[in-house]
Every structure is written in structure tokens, then in C-alpha cells.
Amino acid sequence: RNLLRYMSRNDSANVDPSDGLPAPPVGTWARDKHGLLSLYIEITRATRRKFVDTPDKAGATFIDLYCGAGRAHIKGTDEYIDGSPLVGWKASQVGGHPFSAVYLCDADTLCLEAAAKRLRVLGAPVQLHEGSSLDAARHIVGNLNPHALHFALLDPFALDLPFEVIQVLSGLKRIDIMIHVSAMELQRNWARYSQAVDSPLDTFAPGWRQSVDLQQSDESARLSFIDYWLDKLGGLGFVEKPQFRLVRGPKNIPLYWLVLIAKHDIASRFWKKAVDLSTPQDSFDY
């Protein structure tokens, strides 16, 4: 019954024949994002081991606040791939030091349930949080061990990531955060968003209108907007500057940046290694 409801609400929805659960469509470029996610988690296993190798350790958590269904369908093909929750969990198992807890949230309850079911089949210790990403972040952070190691993925489909979500997560002493920032949406919708009284830009980077000169060219204004966002990140206690990775789509079109921020400077070395090992793409080291 839940699956029928999902299909009726999602015209382009697919069902993975391997398990009969939802698998929303994605572009081929999702492989780049998941490949880098997997590499980064694998590379950090030695650090994670220090937090999970004995029962009295604080633990290491994976937080995915826009988790999707756990599996996805590559548009225009017959191929189904793992989504971020499964990619992250499986990567943590490489080397024998998996996450001690996995926290999931998604606005689509049926996708959230599908992701959880798929992870539980794999033996993952899953906890679900329905509702908004901000409510989930507050609840999760309020119940985490403050001495544990944490990794969060913030992968919304568009520029609708509340900056406050990052603020809440930044309260954790040991956390790395990988953020999806839609370069395509920023470029395509800049004129409309920047002229609106309230838009996703105001959620993503509150207060930007007092710092960005809209009389300059759109390109310069967009760069100023990103500069403002980076300045706000800099005030949250993360070390060094954010690390960027640009992912391109067909015809070399910029699609999105993956941005890493962390509470420890060793993360930048792990990120560079993951980028060097990943499928060649243009990098954008902002």
C-alpha cells in the first residue's frame, strides 16, 4: 500500500526490481558524488577505528539528513545504484570499522522508510528522524555522545539547505560535513531569486542581501554570494578553508560543488587524497 502511494505521488518514480522498493531517478553524475563520498569515508577509517574498536569507545556516527530512498535509478538506463545511505555504510565497512550509528532524515517518509529497510538488511544500526532537516539536526545533536566522531552529509536536491542546519551540527566537537551546493540552480535562478522578497538564497545564506551588491554583473554577484556564505561558515569554528570539488554534467555544464568543512585540519588531507583518487573532474578550490 505504501509503495502504491509513493508511485501515485511521484510520476517519475521507479521501483528497484532487486528489492521492490522505491528508487527515484538520478543523473549519471550521481556516481561522481557517491564515488567521492565512498573514498572519503574509506580513507578516514584509521581515524574512525580509534572511536569504535572497543565497546567503551565513544563511537562514530554517519548523519544523512537528505537520505533519499537508499537506491536510485540512472535516468535513461536500466541501471540501479546505491544511494548515499548505502554508499556511506558500505564504505565504512571497508577495513572493518563501520559507523556505530547511522542517522537518517528525509522529507519523503516513504523514501526514508525504504532507506532504513535497505540498511537494516545490511546490518546497519539505523535511527530515523521524520520531519525537516533542521528539526532532525537539533534532535540528533541533542542526543549524540559529545566525545564521538561524526560525519554528516547534507545533500539536498536544490538550494534549500537552511544555514541553521550547519550551525546546529557545528556544535559538535568532532565533525566533518560534506555539503552539496547546486551551481546549476544558483546560475539558472539567480535573477529570479535575487529579486524575490524571500527565496532559497535567504535560507541558504541569511543576511546576504546586506553584503552583496546587486548592481554588479550576475556572475560577480553570485561569487560575492558564495564569498558571503563562506564567511558565515568561517564563523562556526571549522578549521582551514572549505574544500571544493566541482562536478560537471553533459556538455561540461557545472552541476554542483561538493564542499567539505571540518573541525580538524587532517580532514583537508583526507579530502585531497579522495579527490586525487576519484574520477577526474575539474576542481574548484575556492
Side-chain angles (χ1 to χ4, degrees):
R1 189 187 315 168
N2 283 348
L3 184 55
L4 290 175
R5 285 191 358 244
Y6 174 83
M7 295 293 289
S8 67
R9 285 162 38 193
N10 298 271
D11 293 338
S12 58
N14 293 278
V15 173
D16 188 336
S18 69
D19 60 15
L21 295 173
V26 296
T28 57
W29 47 87
R31 294 193 188 96
D32 297 272
K33 174 172 54 185
H34 294 159
L36 190 52
L37 171 66
S38 179
L39 282 168
Y40 187 79
I41 292 174
E42 288 182 35
I43 288 168
T44 57
R45 65 181 176 271
T47 301
R48 189 167 55 253
R49 175 175 56 83
K50 301 174 184 178
F51 292 84
V52 300
D53 62 352
T54 60
D56 61 341
K57 293 293 185 179
T61 66
F62 177 37
I63 303 166
D64 191 343
L65 298 184
Y66 300 85
C67 67
R71 292 277 289 171
H73 170 245
I74 298 292
K75 296 176 183 177
T77 74
D78 295 325
E79 183 180 359
Y80 291 81
I81 64 172
D82 285 343
S84 58
L86 271 67
V87 169
W89 172 250
K90 289 179 178 180
S92 78
Q93 292 180 300
V94 176
H97 306 291
F99 291 113
S100 55
V102 178
Y103 296 89
L104 301 182
C105 176
D106 196 89
D108 189 315
T109 302
L110 295 175
C111 281
L112 178 63
E113 292 171 351
K117 185 173 183 178
R118 285 166 165 145
L119 279 173
R120 285 170 179 150
V121 168
L122 299 176
V126 184
Q127 296 191 40
L128 305 187
H129 295 271
E130 297 184 12
S132 73
S133 58
L134 180 55
D135 288 343
R138 288 170 174 159
H139 186 272
I140 292 168
V141 169
N143 288 277
L144 287 175
N145 185 330
H147 305 293
L149 179 70
H150 311 287
F151 175 81
L153 175 67
L154 304 178
D155 185 20
F157 283 108
L159 282 172
D160 57 358
L161 169 63
F163 188 81
E164 196 172 353
V165 169
I166 307 174
Q167 285 181 305
V168 171
L169 293 174
S170 72
L172 295 167
K173 181 179 179 180
R174 300 181 181 91
I175 187 167
D176 300 354
I177 307 177
M178 186 180 295
I179 307 170
H180 170 284
V181 180
S182 178
M184 175 177 286
E185 185 181 10
L186 187 62
Q187 181 171 353
R188 283 184 173 179
N189 297 321
W190 174 261
R192 178 164 61 90
Y193 285 172
S194 62
Q195 297 303 316
V197 174
D198 188 24
S199 78
L201 301 181
D202 300 285
T203 300
F204 185 81
W208 72 273
R209 296 178 189 275
Q210 288 71 52
S211 299
V212 177
D213 179 10
L214 293 178
Q215 300 304 311
Q216 60 187 319
S217 68
D218 284 353
E219 181 179 1
S220 296
R222 289 194 297 269
L223 288 173
S224 295
F225 174 80
I226 293 296
D227 278 335
Y228 173 80
W229 182 67
L230 293 175
D231 285 343
K232 286 183 71 67
L233 290 179
L236 297 179
F238 295 103
V239 299
E240 297 189 343
K241 62 181 180 179
Q243 305 295 309
F244 277 74
R245 169 73 158 175
L246 177 63
V247 175
R248 295 180 179 271
K251 299 182 180 178
N252 211 35
I253 297 174
L255 296 178
Y256 56 83
W257 293 293
L258 290 177
V259 184
L260 184 82
I261 52 178
K263 286 294 185 77
H264 197 291
D265 56 9
I266 196 174
S268 62
R269 300 203 298 272
F270 292 151
W271 178 261
K272 184 179 185 303
K273 185 175 181 181
V275 168
D276 289 344
L277 291 172
S278 65
T279 303
Q281 286 274 0
D282 289 338
S283 294
F284 181 49
D285 186 11
Y286 200 87

